[in-house]
């Protein structure tokens, strides 16, 4: 799960510049909240890598885990601040180098 979260964050930063910019782009109705359907639709519309499709529900739940009772089940921008600040090592999102493995 941590690996998928790192890869999703990397995709979001490359595509939008930041997690917070992704949130604003996905929040098409401008209500300050992302329901799961909005989150999935945004990811699919913007071309999330296929290998992350199966993880979308889990990623959504992780980001929503610390929500207040009134925002449980939806994402609000404040819930993404931890992810916005999270600095992870490149090996969590980099593709494996099979050629290097063979020469190892």
């Amino acid at each position: 799960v941590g690996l998928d979260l790192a890869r999703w964050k990397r995709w979001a930063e490359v595509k939008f510049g930041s997690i917070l910019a992704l949130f604003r782009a996905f929040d098409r109705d401008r209500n300050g909240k992302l329901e799961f359907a909005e989150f999935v639709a945004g990811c699919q519309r913007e071309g999330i890598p296929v290998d992350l499709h199966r993880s979308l529900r889990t990623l959504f739940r992780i980001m929503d885990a610390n929500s207040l009772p009134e925002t449980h089940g939806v994402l609000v921008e404040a819930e993404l601040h931890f992810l916005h600040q999270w600095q992870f090592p490149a090996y969590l999102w980099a593709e494996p180098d099979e050629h290097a493995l063979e020469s190892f």
Side-chain angles (χ1 to χ4, degrees):
V1 176
L3 181 59
D4 286 346
L5 187 60
R7 288 181 175 166
W8 182 81
K9 181 183 185 213
R10 174 69 177 167
W11 169 78
E13 289 176 339
V14 168
K15 184 84 174 172
F16 297 94
S18 74
I19 293 294
L20 301 179
L22 171 141
F23 180 88
R24 293 175 191 129
F26 283 13
D27 184 20
R28 290 185 140 188
D29 60 5
R30 303 292 179 240
N31 68 352
K33 299 175 186 175
L34 286 181
E35 295 178 2
F36 180 66
E38 279 181 291
F39 174 73
V40 171
C43 287
Q44 291 175 343
R45 181 177 59 250
E46 297 298 334
I48 190 170
V50 174
D51 63 329
L52 291 176
H53 282 208
R54 63 178 167 68
S55 302
L56 291 179
R57 183 168 301 281
T58 302
L59 295 173
F60 186 87
R61 287 180 178 162
I62 288 169
M63 292 182 280
D64 190 40
N66 294 324
S67 67
L68 298 170
E70 60 269 17
T71 63
H72 184 69
V74 296
L75 295 179
V76 295
E77 192 172 308
E79 292 173 322
L80 302 181
H81 283 265
F82 85 94
L83 195 54
H84 178 70
Q85 296 173 359
W86 180 38
Q87 300 298 315
F88 55 88
Y91 66 80
L92 286 179
W93 57 265
E95 293 298 320
D97 185 344
E98 300 297 332
H99 179 70
L101 177 62
E102 291 173 10
S103 63
F104 182 67

